[in-house]
Amino acid sequence: MKRLVSRLFLVLALPALLVVVWWLASDSSTNVFWPPLRTILDTFPDVWTAERLRDDVLPSIWRLTAGYALAAVVGVAVGTVIGSYRRVRALCEPVLEFLRAIPPPVLIPVIMLFAGIGDTMKVTVIASGCVWPILLNTVEGVRALDPVMVETARSYGISGPSRLRNLVLRSASPQIFAGLRQALSIGIILMVISEMFAASNGIGFTIVQFQRSFAVPDMWTGILVLGLLGFLLSVLFQLVERRALAWYHGRRASTRRSP
Amino acid sequence: MRLRNAALGAAGLAAFLALGEAVPRLGLVKEEYFPPTSRIARAFADELSDDTFWTALGDTLTGWALGLAIAATAGIVIGVVLSVVPHLREATASTIEFLRPIPSVALIPLAVLLYGSELRSVLLLVVYASFWQVLIQTLYGVQDVDPVADETARSYGLGTWARVRHVLWPTALPYVMTGVRLAAAVALILAITGELVIGAPGLGARIAVAQNSQAVPEMYALIVVTGLLGLLINVGARTVERRALAWHQSVRGEVAV
């Protein structure tokens, strides 16, 4: 019990302290750009009403989900193919390295040419930015298959979809998840930026509107919402990852204990 | 073996470029949306002979290098301090986990209000985004210190500073280098994004101008430049990493960005 309390204290003390410091330091602030925290929190419920959640937050999340899912499917599928064949990998590697090195946000102008400024553009932008870390990590993961396991699977006659699911994807999954995690933060960035460019709704659009009309406390609430969204998605991702990779973390923990 | 891989890679690159030439020529996509490789190459050559291009490149690299330097220094120093001072690591863990996933682009509106389209706006984004990469890796690295080595150093009477220098730092260095390499890539993305969205001088702003004035081949040429820049930074960071860790048997699997 005492340990639980002290743990809880360690987890909560600094965040609480920081909020208090922010509150006190900004309380009498007359600087337009740093409004008092009190004002920001007062503004929050007025700005993020149910209506706004429906019209701005949901479309953003929908675009992110669609683009991210598309990138995950394409990345894992293509990555598995490329990773499985040594020749194909050597053929594609320089091109992939180059495509990966392009900062994803510069694709927005290009994709705007093809797809206009609608949802298709935003989903495509998110997918085209997220796909590279997933693809390259899948290639690495598939390439690093344990040769002993490959031979074992072969001698047991495991092949086809069962081999793919139980051997290839499973043993590559820690790498694939590392790629998915990187893709998630790129996805959020691209979601916001594509909405800042050309949009009529979405979180990024809303925040830029506030900034342009100098509604500074409203803008701050938008920043808070983005922060919360990023945090929630990362927690969600961790939960999914922990479940999906439970076997892997368990094995790592046991190898670490026995030297 | 290696030679054959290089040959295959070159063939892949050639096929990619040829595809870029053929697809618009055959009318599969409109030429004004996707110009053939040769026209992009010509626009690329024009850029190289343009003084304003080099100024823009310089601006981008300044933002990148300055931001990365600040973020790396802060990340390493704070990471080491958090791990060396007792209980500080646990006390800050939740805050770090909370702040880290906040997307750096959320700060764009604030940066615009505070600094307008100056270098400082870009720096704010770059430093925020790349700081976490270095900090997290430093924290992991310091955690990896062998307790036996640390105890040995203690019993030989090494002080805190000497232990940081001789035990902690060599253990953490491979992690720190990985962090800096990841941060270098992230810093470039954020530098160019900042210029693109905020309009601070640099390659990103030039891409925005090319887009607004319908100069499509120039836009593609500039995008190719950013890709090449990213490639150079990746290769450079890997080289530095290999040099700095020449003494270290790096057996850890690397994660591609």
Side-chain angles (χ1 to χ4, degrees):
Chain A
M1 187 62 203
K2 209 176 144 199
R3 272 188 52 195
L4 190 77
V5 170
S6 78
R7 252 192 77 88
L8 214 62
F9 176 76
L10 277 174
V11 169
L12 294 177
L14 186 62
L17 183 73
L18 287 175
V19 171
V20 168
V21 167
W22 185 5
W23 183 284
L24 292 179
S26 68
D27 200 33
S28 55
S29 164
T30 49
N31 186 333
V32 210
F33 301 140
W34 305 98
L37 183 56
R38 187 205 307 271
T39 319
I40 298 175
L41 292 182
D42 281 346
T43 323
F44 199 95
D46 300 338
V47 176
W48 300 96
T49 53
E51 206 177 330
R52 174 149 269 142
L53 291 180
R54 195 189 61 215
D55 295 344
D56 286 314
V57 178
L58 276 186
S60 288
I61 293 180
W62 183 83
R63 289 167 196 145
L64 178 64
T65 317
Y68 187 70
L70 191 65
V73 171
V74 173
V76 172
V78 178
T80 309
V81 173
I82 296 179
S84 304
Y85 302 99
R86 202 150 29 98
R87 296 253 171 85
V88 181
R89 205 170 63 231
L91 195 68
C92 297
E93 208 149 41
V95 175
L96 289 180
E97 287 289 330
F98 171 71
L99 290 176
R100 166 182 77 161
I102 296 177
V106 305
L107 297 173
I108 296 177
V110 176
I111 294 170
M112 267 168 76
L113 279 179
F114 288 95
I117 58 170
D119 273 3
T120 325
M121 177 276 266
K122 296 179 185 81
V123 172
T124 319
V125 164
I126 294 170
S128 62
C130 290
V131 75
W132 304 113
I134 303 176
L135 198 158
L136 288 157
N137 274 299
T138 309
V139 171
E140 287 297 310
V142 170
R143 200 186 68 172
L145 278 187
D146 185 350
V148 177
M149 285 196 202
V150 173
E151 287 304 319
T152 313
R154 186 173 299 162
S155 60
Y156 276 108
I158 298 171
S159 63
S162 151
R163 177 178 188 274
L164 187 69
R165 206 180 58 231
N166 293 324
L167 172 69
V168 178
L169 288 183
R170 177 129 283 216
S171 75
S173 59
Q175 286 265 11
I176 294 177
F177 268 94
L180 285 171
R181 187 168 339 108
Q182 284 166 15
L184 185 63
S185 47
I186 295 181
I188 299 177
I189 290 182
L190 287 174
M191 176 194 89
V192 177
I193 304 228
S194 65
E195 290 172 352
M196 285 178 170
F197 251 78
S200 50
N201 62 0
I203 307 179
F205 169 76
T206 315
I207 298 181
V208 170
Q209 285 307 98
F210 288 144
Q211 176 237 316
R212 294 206 175 129
S213 53
F214 285 92
V216 179
D218 307 45
M219 182 194 87
W220 271 100
T221 63
I223 296 179
L224 287 184
V225 165
L226 272 184
L228 282 174
L229 183 70
F231 175 71
L232 285 179
L233 287 176
S234 123
V235 169
L236 195 69
F237 186 90
Q238 268 178 17
L239 287 178
V240 173
E241 186 188 20
R242 203 166 296 161
R243 274 194 77 105
L245 295 184
W247 60 275
Y248 173 72
H249 292 310
R251 201 181 62 187
R252 274 233 325 217
S254 68
T255 49
R256 199 173 282 169
R257 264 198 301 273
S258 56
Chain B
M1 189 66 216
R2 242 180 126 174
L3 206 68
R4 208 177 62 197
N5 276 354
L8 275 172
L13 201 58
F16 180 68
L17 293 176
L19 205 66
E21 182 76 28
V23 165
R25 291 252 186 250
L26 294 173
L28 294 175
V29 292
K30 280 197 200 155
E31 225 175 278
E32 59 258 42
Y33 289 172
F34 186 77
T37 312
S38 53
R39 275 191 66 198
I40 299 178
R42 207 152 41 207
F44 186 74
D46 286 346
E47 287 292 332
L48 293 186
S49 57
D50 188 345
D51 283 343
T52 52
F53 164 76
W54 293 103
T55 324
L57 184 65
D59 286 333
T60 299
L61 285 178
T62 313
W64 171 78
L66 218 57
L68 182 63
I70 297 172
T73 316
I76 293 170
V77 170
I78 295 177
V80 169
V81 169
L82 287 188
S83 325
V84 171
V85 179
H87 302 306
L88 216 51
R89 173 86 184 86
E90 294 109 272
T92 50
S94 62
T95 311
I96 290 174
E97 281 309 308
F98 182 77
L99 289 178
R100 185 167 62 125
I102 293 181
S104 46
V105 288
L107 301 175
I108 286 181
L110 184 66
V112 172
L113 283 183
L114 287 178
Y115 305 123
S117 55
E118 273 183 58
L119 175 66
R120 277 189 290 176
S121 287
V122 172
L123 278 183
L124 182 68
L125 302 179
V126 172
V127 171
Y128 183 84
S130 33
F131 168 72
W132 300 109
Q133 310 279 343
V134 182
L135 178 72
I136 298 292
Q137 285 292 324
T138 309
L139 289 176
Y140 279 145
V142 176
Q143 256 173 19
D144 199 39
V145 166
D146 185 357
V148 176
D150 197 44
E151 286 305 318
T152 313
R154 258 175 224 274
S155 60
Y156 276 112
L158 265 64
T160 307
W161 175 244
R163 269 185 293 129
V164 168
R165 170 74 191 80
H166 295 291
V167 180
L168 198 145
W169 183 243
T171 317
L173 191 61
Y175 291 85
V176 172
M177 290 312 283
T178 308
V180 172
R181 180 159 55 76
L182 294 176
V186 169
L188 182 72
I189 295 179
L190 265 298
I192 288 178
T193 306
E195 294 159 4
L196 191 70
V197 181
I198 300 174
L203 290 174
R206 240 178 123 77
I207 292 176
V209 170
Q211 185 213 3
N212 287 330
S213 51
Q214 306 288 319
V216 177
E218 283 74 16
M219 187 180 84
Y220 276 96
L222 287 165
I223 290 174
V224 171
V225 172
T226 61
L228 291 177
L229 203 58
L231 211 57
L232 270 178
I233 287 175
N234 278 342
V235 172
R238 264 174 211 282
T239 316
V240 171
E241 195 177 9
R242 213 167 303 137
R243 283 270 167 85
L245 299 177
W247 52 273
H248 186 271
Q249 275 189 327
S250 202
V251 283
R252 288 173 305 115
E254 277 185 319
V255 176
V257 186

